[in-house]
Amino acid sequence: MKAFFNGIASLFVDFLFIPLDFLRSLELTSWFIANFINWIFMAICAAAMIYWILQLRDHKAKNEEYQDTTAHSFFK
């Protein structure tokens, strides 16, 4: 059983973390390039937020928003 867990540790440390080790060593020379993955995630989140806001504005302009406060029985 110990060999199984050592195999899993070897898989992650020796193979799957190689790109992250590269980014960690790259941070000493260029912080912006080392955090490129973070910049991509921030751009995706910003695009999703802009899309969501535009959709909300579109629904409000078409009066499709349902704002009845008696939608639930406990509001009566």
Side-chain angles (χ1 to χ4, degrees):
M1 194 66 172
K2 184 177 179 181
F4 174 72
F5 288 112
N6 285 337
I8 292 174
S10 174
L11 171 71
F12 279 91
V13 172
D14 297 335
F15 299 106
L16 298 179
F17 287 159
I18 289 174
L20 297 176
D21 290 337
F22 171 71
L23 290 174
R24 184 178 58 197
S25 65
L26 184 65
E27 185 180 12
L28 298 174
T29 57
S30 175
W31 180 86
F32 287 101
I33 296 173
N35 287 300
F36 184 68
I37 295 173
N38 295 334
W39 292 109
I40 291 173
F41 286 141
M42 285 191 291
I44 290 171
C45 289
M49 189 170 57
I50 290 169
Y51 173 76
W52 182 258
I53 291 170
L54 291 175
Q55 289 296 315
L56 287 174
R57 190 172 67 178
D58 187 37
H59 283 288
K60 188 172 184 177
K62 293 180 182 176
N63 290 327
E64 293 177 347
E65 194 173 359
Y66 183 64
Q67 295 183 345
D68 187 12
T69 57
T70 60
H72 298 287
S73 61
F74 56 84
F75 285 136
K76 291 182 181 180

